[in-house]
Structure formats: C-alpha cells, structure tokens
Amino acid sequence: MSDVKRGREFLHTPGPTNIPDRILNAMHQPAVDFTALPFVEMTRSCFEDIKHVFQTQGPVFMYAANGHGAWEAAMSNTLSPGDHILVPETGNFSMKWGMMAESLDLVIEHLPGDWRHGIDPDAVEQHLRDDDEGRIKAVLMVHVDTASGVISSVQAIRRAMDNAKHGALFMVDTIASLATVEFQMDDWGVDVALAASQKGLMCPPGIGFTACSDKAMHATQSARLPRNYWDWRERMTDAQYIRFCGTAPIHMLYGLREALDMLAEEGFAQVVARHHRLASAIRAAVDVWCSQGGMAYNALIPEQRSNSITAIRVPTGYNAEEVRTVARERYQVAMGGGLEQLKGDVFRIGHMGDLNEPMVLGALAGIEAALQYLDVPHGRGGVVAAIDYLTGT
Ligand SMILES: *Cc1c(COP(=O)(O)O)cnc(C)c1O
C-alpha cells in the first residue's frame, strides 16, 4: 500500500468535528477593525443567537478559549475558596473537571461511578439531603461524557436537587451535547451551561461559552475566587475590547455566525433528529459487531448511549489502539481512543456535527474493515444492518 493518501480522511474523533466548507469559507477573510460597526453588529448577533442554541434568555459569555477555559470560567465566576462541590463521576471528563476544581481551591465531594452508567439521581438526592449545613455550593454535571459515551438526564438531576430542597448551583458541561441532543437551559433549571465551538457547533476549536441564569449572575457578586480574564462582570458590555477582555477572536466569530445560520436553517429539532438517526444507524452496526460476545458497548444501559459519541470495548486480549491505528492509517477513518482507565480497551466513534448518511456508512465500513483486518472477533454485517436501519427495511 502506498504512503500517499487520496480522498478525504473521515473525521470521527469526538471533537474536533468536521468543519463544513461554508464555515471555512466564511472565515476566509482579511482581518478587520473589530471595533468598526459592521463587525460589532455581527458580534452582537452572535451573542443574541447563541442564546437560542442554549434555549436561554440569560447572558452568554464567549471566550477565546477551548472547553477547559469554559470550565474554569464557570467555577471562578461563581464560587469561593473552600466551597464544596458535588462531582458525580461519569467518565474522564467529569474527573478532569473535578481535578481542575481542586486546583482552584474548591473541595470535591465525589459520587463514584464506573464510567459505564449515567449519573444516579437518587444518589445525588441522598448526598444533597445529607448536606444539612449547605456546604455544597455547586453540582457539576457532564451531560454527555465524551470519554465513556454515556448521557445522563439533566432533568432528573434537577429533580433530585429540587427534591432535596438544596440551593446549590447547577452547572452542566454541554460541550458534547449542545446542538446534538435536546438541551433546554431555562426550562430545565440549569444555572451555568458551558460549551465549546469544535463539537456540535461545527467550528474550529477556539471559542468557549458560558451561559448563565439569574442565580449564577447573582452568585458572581459574592464569589471570591480570583479571576480576571474570565470575569463576567467585566464582560457585561457592548464594548468589543472589553467584552472579549482584549482582541476579539475575529475569524472564529465569522465562523460561528455561519454555524448559527446553518443550525437555524436546518432547525434545531431537525438537528437533534438527524443526530438521533445517524447514531441509531451506528448502533445498528455495533449491535451486529457485538453479537458474537467479546465486543461490547461501554455504556451498559441502552438509553444512556449518547447520540454524540459511541464508545466500544474490544474483546479481552485485543488492543483498541490497534483498531484505531489501522482504521486511520489503512482505511482513513480517524476515531478517538480510550482515555485513562479505558485506554486500550475502547475505541470511540464521534458522530457530532456536520454528518450525513454516506459519511456514517463510509466510516462504519472503514472500522469494520479494520476489525476484519486485525481478526478481532466480531459479528460481520454491521454496515448492512446500518443500511437496513436507515432504509427501514
Ligand atoms: C471535549 C470535551 C471537553 C474538553 O474540551 P476542550 O475544548 O478540549 O477543552 C470537556 N468536556 C466534554 C464533555 C467534552 O466533550
């Protein structure tokens, strides 16, 4: 096989995701004076329209940052040194967010999990009921944990907090769920929702978002964690240089404007339905691969398998990193690998953003070829099952 590769490499990493040509073209512009009116107007429209994506009336702040920046922004704006926070474990991303909290002088109360199940609302409720002194100031939930492929119910955790009559802030990491699955910040009672540009929003990495409820905006007045770049209070202005704490990420904003237009054209309900359809096609294939025993979904409960990313375990004695390497180098399908305790045990198919049926079928075919090439025990015919699903036959 020649080292020269032709055609497109299929990108199925769970972030970054495919950037549509429309967005790339929208970004292909000379730099502009970001304080001149046309650009100021465009920026204002982005701040307005991103609210629809979060389904919130409250303010959304944008940072020249990735998701980790949004994590820090959410906490540093609302909490004080020594505050306790509740961190239910769903996978590597919940763990890493918690570790960042610790480095900011927050005290973690951990709800252990096995990375194969969503958050147990009863455990959250019980833990909050036991906190009769109100030590816990925030609950940190990862909606779709991209490391495990598990989705947890935001509404169920909100109910658990309400049942416990607990006043903690409810923070939700929607980095891998925004614009892929339903999310309704205001109706679901979320206080801080955070996201990043390079997943469902189809943009390059480079913008981090925090969306804030009244309660979160209120908390920021008394929060004592040191902050400067992240400070919401500074950024509550139309003045371009101040709302971005420096130079605006001009080209990212051109891209975001196009992404918002594309999402609105398709319609949010349709975006969610498309992700559901394509994820279901992938699961139809994975069902077949797993039918021999050996291979298995990482997420044990079918309803907790997310429409954003699917994590698949290889049989004992096989190396998921090999599957990933062969899929990428030989069949040109790039996937995610297992993180931390899942390294070598799982490969992860990202299915967020700008995708359609033949892209998904092509990726499944490349992955199935890699399984066959490496002689990994699996049921054959996954791609056929995906076609059967998509055609309803
Ligand atoms: C990708 C991701 C992150 C990290 O985002 P970065 O932009 O890489 O910092 C955090 N949480 C979840 C759920 C993610 O999917």
Side-chain angles (χ1 to χ4, degrees):
M1 203 180 250
S2 164
D3 285 344
V4 176
K5 292 176 176 171
R6 296 285 181 225
R8 283 201 177 220
E9 181 172 280
F10 280 41
L11 183 66
H12 284 269
T13 49
T17 65
N18 295 295
I19 307 173
D21 290 345
R22 269 179 69 176
I23 292 180
L24 290 171
N25 291 336
M27 297 177 75
H28 193 118
Q29 306 217 32
V32 293
D33 176 352
F34 65 89
T35 63
L37 194 59
F39 190 77
V40 172
E41 290 291 327
M42 193 207 77
T43 308
R44 192 175 293 141
S45 75
C46 289
F47 274 100
E48 230 9 76
D49 293 351
I50 191 71
K51 293 182 186 180
H52 303 303
V53 184
F54 283 101
Q55 291 285 301
T56 185
Q57 307 284 330
V60 179
F61 299 91
M62 290 191 219
Y63 301 93
N66 59 17
H68 281 67
W71 275 352
E72 180 159 344
M75 297 186 294
S76 67
N77 272 293
T78 52
L79 300 168
S80 299
D83 281 354
H84 286 228
I85 57 178
L86 183 62
V87 181
E89 177 179 358
T90 49
N92 195 47
F93 285 98
S94 65
M95 297 303 284
K96 285 285 152 64
W97 194 10
M99 284 159 66
M100 179 190 270
E102 259 173 339
S103 76
L104 295 177
D105 263 351
L106 300 166
V107 180
I108 307 305
E109 301 198 13
H110 190 219
L111 270 187
D114 64 358
W115 296 27
R116 302 194 73 177
H117 292 87
I119 304 171
D120 175 5
D122 295 337
V124 171
E125 181 175 334
Q126 193 52 52
H127 197 97
L128 292 176
R129 277 186 196 283
D130 292 343
D131 176 34
D132 32 22
E133 292 159 35
R135 271 188 328 268
I136 295 170
K137 302 299 182 209
V139 176
L140 268 49
M141 164 176 187
V142 177
H143 191 190
V144 170
D145 197 310
T146 323
S148 57
V150 167
I151 184 167
S152 303
S153 165
V154 175
Q155 295 126 296
I157 303 308
R158 177 75 258 175
R159 260 196 310 279
M161 294 175 69
D162 291 344
N163 290 345
K165 300 192 172 51
H166 200 287
L169 291 166
F170 186 26
M171 299 193 192
V172 182
D173 170 343
T174 67
I175 296 176
S177 56
L178 196 74
T180 67
V181 301
E182 193 187 8
F183 180 73
Q184 311 226 12
M185 169 151 178
D186 290 357
D187 284 359
W188 294 356
V190 174
D191 292 306
V192 184
L194 54 95
S197 50
Q198 78 276 21
K199 305 211 179 178
L201 294 173
M202 307 178 286
C203 289
I207 299 186
F209 304 87
T210 55
C212 315
S213 71
D214 286 345
K215 185 168 164 180
M217 291 310 291
H218 191 72
T220 204
Q221 302 306 333
S222 51
R224 283 180 290 104
L225 279 182
R227 58 194 184 277
N228 178 298
Y229 181 74
W230 307 118
D231 202 329
W232 292 337
R233 293 168 301 183
E234 295 293 320
R235 288 169 177 257
M236 286 289 279
T237 167
D238 256 2
Q240 290 282 80
Y241 199 73
I242 297 173
R243 80 183 335 178
F244 287 104
C245 191
T247 308
I250 298 171
H251 293 83
M252 289 300 304
L253 290 164
Y254 282 129
L256 178 64
R257 182 61 265 167
E258 193 68 21
L260 292 167
D261 289 344
M262 290 175 73
L263 291 171
E265 275 167 24
E266 186 176 359
F268 289 112
Q270 284 77 12
V271 171
V272 168
R274 176 170 53 82
H275 280 85
H276 176 75
R277 184 170 73 250
L278 297 177
S280 300
I282 288 169
R283 288 188 288 261
V286 178
D287 285 344
V288 171
W289 295 343
C290 296
S291 61
Q292 300 279 328
M295 286 186 51
Y297 286 96
N298 183 60
L300 286 170
I301 298 175
E303 297 74 47
Q304 296 178 351
R305 294 172 187 158
S306 81
N307 288 340
S308 312
I309 172 258
T310 300
I312 301 155
R313 300 174 84 96
V314 296
T316 320
Y318 291 82
N319 185 352
E321 284 303 299
E322 261 174 33
V323 176
R324 194 179 159 214
T325 304
V326 167
R328 187 182 59 228
E329 299 305 323
R330 224 181 150 83
Y331 302 110
Q332 305 208 43
V333 179
M335 299 186 284
L339 301 175
E340 301 289 338
Q341 68 190 48
L342 295 177
K343 191 165 182 63
D345 292 342
V346 309
F347 61 86
R348 299 179 298 141
I349 309 173
H351 32 88
M352 289 175 260
D354 191 44
L355 287 175
N356 62 22
E357 280 79 356
M359 291 161 92
V360 160
L361 291 171
L364 290 171
I367 299 164
E368 196 160 322
L371 294 172
Q372 192 162 325
Y373 179 85
L374 287 168
D375 222 1
V376 177
H378 68 284
R380 294 179 65 167
V383 176
V384 173
I387 294 173
D388 289 348
Y389 172 82
L390 289 170
T391 53
T393 55

